[in-house]
Amino acid sequence: QKEVEQNSGPLSVPEGAIASLNCTYSDRGSQSFFWYRQYSGKSPELIMFIYSNGDKEDGRFTAQLNKASQYVSLLIRDSQPSDSATYLCAVNEAQGGSEKLVFGKGTKLTVNP
Amino acid sequence: DVKVTQSSRYLVKRTGEKVFLECVQDMDHENMFWYRQDPGLGLRLIYFSYDVKMKEKGDIPEGYSVSREKKERFSLILESASTNQTSMYLCASSLDPGVAGEQYFGPGTRLTVT
C-alpha cells in the first residue's frame, strides 16, 4: 500500500492566524486528493477536494496541490476556535479495476482564542 | 444531504461472538466502504464494495467478512470477535461507480470486545 504522510502535530495557532496543514504521498499515479475534518468523538467530514495542480479556494479554506513534488496542503485563513479538529489527508490509489482512498494519520489543530 | 446511518453507536460483545455491523445509505451511492479507526494507526480500510454482491478486500480484511445484498446496505461481519477488534468502525459511501471519490461517513460504531 502506498503511503500518505502528515505531521501529527499538534499544531497550535492563535485565532485569526493562518493554519497550514501539509501532506505528502508516495503514489505518483494518484489523481484525487481530499481533506477531511474530524472533531473529537465524531466521524470525518469532507471539506475540500482537489484534482488539478494549483490552488482551489472555498471560503476560508485553500487546498494546494503540487503533483511533481507529491505534496498537497490545506490553508485555513482567519482561523477560528471552531476549526480545532484533526485534519485527515486522503489520496486515491488504484486497486485492480477499482480504487480506494488511503488516509494519512491526521494533524491535530488547536486554534487558541 | 447524504445520510449514512450505522445500526449502533456503541456495542459490547464477548470474545468468540459473531458480530454484525450494519450500514445504510439513502443517496443511491454506488460504493460503500468499511474502515476501522484506532489511535496512532489512523483510518484503515477493511473491505469495500462497488456493486451489489461485489466485495473487495481492503488493507486489513483478516477476521472480517462483508455482505452487500442491496445497493443501500453494506454489512460488516466479525466471524469470531476477538479483543484486538475493539475499535471504532466507520462506514462510508461515495457516488461514482468504481471511483473512491468523495466519501461520506456514518457516525461510527464503537465496538468493545471483552
Side-chain angles (χ1 to χ4, degrees):
Chain A
Q1 176 185 306
K2 306 299 191 295
E3 292 184 344
V4 176
E5 300 284 346
Q6 296 181 253
N7 188 327
S8 62
L11 174 65
S12 184
V13 301
E15 184 173 355
I18 296 175
S20 178
L21 304 163
N22 304 315
C23 173
T24 59
Y25 60 95
S26 62
D27 184 3
R28 286 196 169 275
S30 294
Q31 298 293 321
S32 309
F33 307 87
F34 305 86
W35 283 99
Y36 287 81
R37 177 177 62 201
Q38 187 173 24
Y39 292 115
S40 181
K42 301 292 187 181
S43 57
E45 58 177 325
L46 179 67
I47 56 171
M48 289 285 289
F49 56 87
I50 186 167
Y51 301 141
S52 303
N53 272 332
D55 294 359
K56 179 182 178 183
E57 189 173 315
D58 184 1
R60 295 186 296 110
F61 297 95
T62 299
Q64 299 176 315
L65 175 61
N66 183 326
K67 289 185 179 179
S69 299
Q70 295 176 246
Y71 178 91
V72 58
S73 65
L74 179 70
L75 300 179
I76 307 174
R77 290 182 301 282
D78 188 25
S79 295
Q80 301 297 309
S82 59
D83 295 325
S84 298
T86 296
Y87 289 81
L88 306 175
C89 173
V91 175
N92 77 313
E93 177 183 319
Q95 176 167 318
S98 56
E99 65 174 43
K100 62 184 182 182
L101 288 186
V102 179
F103 285 81
K105 294 180 181 178
T107 298
K108 186 173 183 179
L109 171 67
T110 300
V111 180
N112 301 302
Chain B
D1 280 349
V2 176
K3 190 159 185 184
V4 180
T5 57
Q6 296 182 229
S7 51
S8 305
R9 290 301 307 274
Y10 300 94
L11 208 53
V12 179
K13 295 292 181 180
R14 292 194 181 275
T15 301
E17 280 193 81
K18 191 168 186 176
V19 181
F20 294 85
L21 303 182
E22 304 285 336
C23 175
V24 177
Q25 50 94 4
D26 68 356
M27 285 302 292
D28 204 34
H29 280 187
E30 298 293 330
N31 318 306
M32 297 188 76
F33 307 83
W34 274 108
Y35 296 88
R36 63 179 283 179
Q37 188 172 34
D38 302 286
L41 297 178
L43 266 173
R44 295 180 291 168
L45 181 63
I46 304 171
Y47 268 97
F48 58 109
S49 169
Y50 283 102
D51 199 357
V52 174
K53 297 192 186 293
M54 175 270 178
K55 61 184 179 184
E56 193 153 346
K57 292 180 180 179
D59 303 312
I60 52 163
E62 297 79 18
Y64 304 94
S65 62
V66 290
S67 172
R68 194 170 181 199
E69 296 294 321
K70 293 185 177 182
K71 189 176 184 179
E72 67 271 17
R73 188 180 297 270
F74 192 34
S75 301
L76 179 70
I77 303 155
L78 285 66
E79 298 290 343
S80 178
S82 63
T83 55
N84 63 12
Q85 292 179 309
T86 291
S87 186
M88 172 66 83
Y89 289 87
L90 291 158
C91 175
S93 69
S94 66
L95 178 61
D96 294 326
V99 178
E102 302 143 36
Q103 293 186 18
Y104 296 87
F105 285 82
T109 296
R110 184 165 294 282
L111 172 67
T112 302
V113 182
T114 62

